[in-house]
Amino acid sequence: MSIAAAYTLKHQHTDFVVKEVSRPPVEQPGDYAYAVLEKRGVTTLEALRLIAEHLGIQESDVSAAGLKDEDGITRQTVSLRAETMRPFWIDLGPEKWLRLSAPIGQYDRPLEKGALLGNDFWLVIRNLSEEAAESIWNRGGSRGQFRQYVVNYFDRQRFGVPGSNYRTADVGAALLEGDTRRAAAVLHHDTAVAMSRGGLVPGEQARFVQDVNAGMDCRTAFRAISSRLRLFFVGSALSRDWNLQTAQSVAATGHPLRLYGDEHPLAGCLGLAGPQALASLPAGIALKEPVALPSEDGVGITMRETWRATVTATKVFLIDRGPDEHFPGRHALRVFFNLPSGSYATSAVHQMVTATTAASQDPGRAAAGTT
C-alpha cells in the first residue's frame, strides 16, 4: 500500500532545531577542552574543518561525538586541545554561520562516539492539510503527547547532500571494492554537477574538483581528501546495506506500508502497518562501521561490527498548530521529541505523518507503530 504524505520539513532553518545530548567523560581533568559548537547551514564535517582552519590546527585534532546536517540550527559538543582553544564566530554567507563557545570543561581525552546519548528536536512540520494536522494533533489526546515507534532507517542525509545528487554510498562502495579511481570519478562527476547548478558544495569536494580540473590525477586528488570524509563515504555504503537488509525484514512481516516514491533514494525501504508487525522484527541487525583507511587505496579498510536496533521509540510532544503563514491554505504543526544516537528525525517524522495519513484514510487500519 502506498500513501501520499504531503508535508514540508526544513522549509527554513529555524524550523529544525537540534540540541545534542552527550555524556562528558568521568575521568580526571586533562589537556582537552570541550566547547559548544552552534551552526547553521553547515554540516558537522565541514564545521570541524573550518574550526581547524580558523585555529590553525590539524583537522584530526578536532573531535565530535556525532554528525548533524546543515539544514537547521544545531548545537553539539566538540573537543580540541586546550592550548589551541579560543571562542569565535564565523559568518559564512546568507543563513550560514558557526560559533564556538568558550570552554565548558577540560578532560583527559577527546570526545568519542560513545559520548553521544541522543538528540532533542524542536521541529515545525509545514504544508500539512488541515485534516492531517488535526489527525496528528488528536493523537495527543488531553495530554498533548503520544508514543511513536519507527523503523530505524538511516535517512537520505546519510547518502548525500539535500538538493544535490551526491552518491556518497556509491563512492563508499567503490572504496570497499578497492576501486579508488571509480570512487573519485563518481565524486568528481556529482560534485561538478552540483557546482554548475549553484548547489551546496562542501569545501573539500570543491577543492577536489578544482584540483582535477587543473590537471591533477583523479586518484591523487581523491587521496588528498581527509580520511574522516572518506570514512564517511564508506559508512554511507554500509548504512545503505543495513537499510536494504532491514527493509527485507519489514517486507517479510507481510504488512508493509510504502513510505517513499520510486524517485526517492530510499524507495526500497518500507514502513509498517501496525505495532504487531513491529514486534515481529528482529531486535537489531549487525552493522559494520569503518574505523581506519590504509594510507593508499581503500583496500584493507579496518572495520568493527556493531549492532543497530531495527525499531526505536520516542514520545512526541505537541506544542501548537495553526494556519501556515508560508503555505496559504495549509497548516503547520510544532512538535518536540528526543531520539537515541544514530536515529534520524526526518525518518521519524515521515513515518509518523505517513502512518497517521494511512489511519485517517482507512479508519480500520491502525496507525503504524503507535500506542
Side-chain angles (χ1 to χ4, degrees):
M1 179 178 183
S2 180
I3 295 292
Y7 69 96
T8 298
L9 197 60
K10 302 182 179 180
H11 177 65
Q12 53 189 11
H13 285 139
T14 52
D15 288 348
F16 199 89
V17 178
V18 186
K19 180 182 178 182
E20 181 180 88
V21 181
S22 58
R23 176 180 56 214
V26 295
E27 288 78 7
Q28 296 298 316
D31 296 332
Y32 292 92
Y34 284 34
V36 175
L37 166 65
E38 293 182 280
K39 61 185 183 65
R40 173 175 177 164
V42 186
T43 67
T44 298
L45 289 177
E46 183 73 355
L48 297 182
R49 184 190 69 78
L50 289 168
I51 290 172
E53 184 178 277
H54 187 82
L55 296 177
I57 60 178
Q58 295 294 316
E59 186 177 339
S60 57
D61 290 335
V62 190
S63 301
L67 301 179
K68 310 289 179 283
D69 72 49
E70 72 276 17
D71 287 333
I73 298 174
T74 68
R75 179 185 174 97
Q76 65 185 114
T77 305
V78 298
S79 68
L80 57 161
R81 289 198 171 274
E83 67 267 20
T84 65
M85 169 66 202
R86 69 175 186 272
F88 64 86
W89 161 288
I90 302 178
D91 185 350
L92 300 167
E95 299 189 353
K96 293 179 63 176
W97 51 261
L98 69 83
R99 174 169 51 221
L100 188 67
S101 76
I104 58 175
Q106 281 190 221
Y107 302 94
D108 66 348
R109 64 183 60 188
L111 264 174
E112 299 173 344
K113 188 174 182 181
L116 179 57
L117 300 177
N119 295 284
D120 290 336
F121 297 91
W122 289 263
L123 310 183
V124 181
I125 309 171
R126 297 190 179 278
N127 198 19
L128 289 163
S129 68
E130 183 177 4
E131 295 75 17
E134 184 176 5
S135 295
I136 297 172
W137 188 265
N138 288 341
R139 286 177 58 187
S142 60
R143 301 181 64 186
Q145 59 185 256
F146 59 88
R147 185 166 293 278
Q148 176 74 40
Y149 294 90
V150 297
V151 184
N152 202 19
Y153 292 128
F154 292 94
D155 210 348
R156 64 191 306 168
Q157 304 97 300
R158 184 67 171 163
F159 311 108
V161 177
S164 77
N165 61 337
Y166 289 172
R167 294 167 290 170
T168 56
D170 290 344
V171 176
L175 288 175
L176 285 167
E177 296 170 8
D179 192 343
T180 308
R181 187 169 296 279
R182 178 161 61 90
V186 173
L187 184 63
H188 180 271
H189 174 271
D190 288 0
T191 307
V193 169
M195 291 173 69
S196 69
R197 295 174 178 172
L200 178 68
V201 178
E204 280 198 271
Q205 284 95 312
R207 284 195 301 275
F208 164 71
V209 169
Q210 291 164 0
D211 288 343
V212 173
N213 291 348
M216 183 181 291
D217 175 75
C218 204
R219 288 197 300 177
T220 302
F222 187 83
R223 292 191 194 106
I225 293 174
S226 68
S227 60
R228 180 180 275 158
L229 182 55
R230 286 181 287 153
L231 285 171
F232 174 80
F233 294 148
V234 175
S236 177
L238 296 170
S239 299
R240 180 173 64 183
D241 292 343
W242 189 94
N243 266 10
L244 294 175
Q245 187 176 353
T246 302
Q248 291 172 357
S249 296
V250 171
T253 67
H255 302 284
L257 172 65
R258 189 169 187 183
L259 287 171
Y260 302 99
D262 291 334
E263 76 290 346
H264 194 280
L266 302 183
C269 297
L270 304 174
L272 293 173
Q276 294 79 12
L278 287 170
S280 68
L281 287 175
I285 293 176
L287 170 68
K288 289 184 177 180
E289 292 185 343
V291 177
L293 289 168
S295 57
E296 292 298 323
D297 293 348
V299 179
I301 297 171
T302 304
M303 300 282 191
R304 67 182 173 197
E305 189 162 295
T306 61
W307 181 91
R308 181 177 173 87
T310 54
V311 176
T312 190
T314 186
K315 184 172 287 186
V316 179
F317 295 85
L318 302 168
I319 300 173
D320 58 43
R321 61 170 175 161
D324 191 335
E325 68 272 22
H326 294 278
F327 296 90
R330 307 287 284 179
H331 284 250
L333 181 69
R334 191 182 305 272
V335 302
F336 166 83
F337 56 85
N338 172 277
L339 287 174
S341 172
S343 296
Y344 285 75
T346 47
S347 179
V349 168
H350 192 72
Q351 293 186 51
M352 177 185 72
V353 175
T354 303
T356 306
T357 303
S360 65
Q361 292 184 9
D362 182 0
R365 187 185 186 93
T370 64
T371 58

